[in-house]
Amino acid sequence: MKSNESAENYLETILILSQKKPVVRGVDIAEELGFKKSSVSVAMKNLREKNQIYVTPEGYIYLTDDGKRIAEMIYERHQLLSSGLMQLGVSQKTALEDACRIEHVISAESFEAIKKHLHLSSGADEK
């Protein structure tokens, strides 16, 4: 299932915030991303309609299984790509910014090849 970059960023942000906080609210997402709460509300409505999040009557936001799958995929890409770029000597700031753009457009095939290469070059598979 294809998801747009904005939706993926929101899902990734919800995942990251849920690891830091006991509950995630729209105001937390707005603060984290530097967006207006009204913009976040519209995005949450769209994610609810796609069944990627659910919101409790108290306003707590949770990822559905589908939303979590997408968020974890994007977060893994972000982590691996930014780390790999820094290993190549790219500054942290640039690596994080570039990874954020690349993570949404890279094919699964290319990402898996990069992932395999980085694991091999880091000695992760050596015994």
Side-chain angles (χ1 to χ4, degrees), residues 80-91 95 114 117-118 121:
L80 188 109
L81 292 168
S82 58
S83 172
L85 289 168
M86 287 186 282
Q87 287 175 28
L88 294 171
V90 176
S91 72
I114 291 169
H117 175 76
L118 288 175
S121 65

Side-chain angles (χ1 to χ4, degrees), residues 7-104:
E8 290 173 348
N9 279 334
Y10 277 109
L11 293 170
E12 181 183 24
T13 300
I14 294 166
L15 176 69
I16 292 166
L17 287 172
S18 71
Q19 294 170 348
K20 297 177 187 176
K21 297 175 167 276
V23 294
V24 178
R25 299 166 300 143
V27 67
D28 301 320
I29 297 166
E31 186 177 291
E32 181 74 16
L33 295 174
F35 294 165
K36 292 180 182 175
K37 191 169 181 321
S38 58
S39 298
V40 172
S41 294
V42 170
M44 295 305 103
K45 179 179 183 273
N46 292 334
L47 293 175
R48 262 195 328 272
E49 289 172 354
K50 293 180 186 178
N51 294 313
Q52 294 174 339
I53 65 165
Y54 66 93
V55 182
T56 67
E58 299 81 21
Y60 303 148
I61 300 166
Y62 296 94
L63 296 169
T64 63
D65 289 342
D66 189 41
K68 187 173 183 179
R69 179 187 55 76
I70 294 166
E72 287 176 341
M73 174 193 69
I74 294 299
Y75 187 62
E76 178 190 24
R77 288 177 174 196
H78 184 89
Q79 295 290 98
L80 188 109
L81 292 168
S82 58
S83 172
L85 289 168
M86 287 186 282
Q87 287 175 28
L88 294 171
V90 176
S91 72
Q92 181 178 9
K93 180 181 184 301
T94 301
L96 292 171
E97 290 170 357
D98 288 349
C100 196
R101 287 190 296 273
I102 296 167
E103 69 196 25
H104 302 287

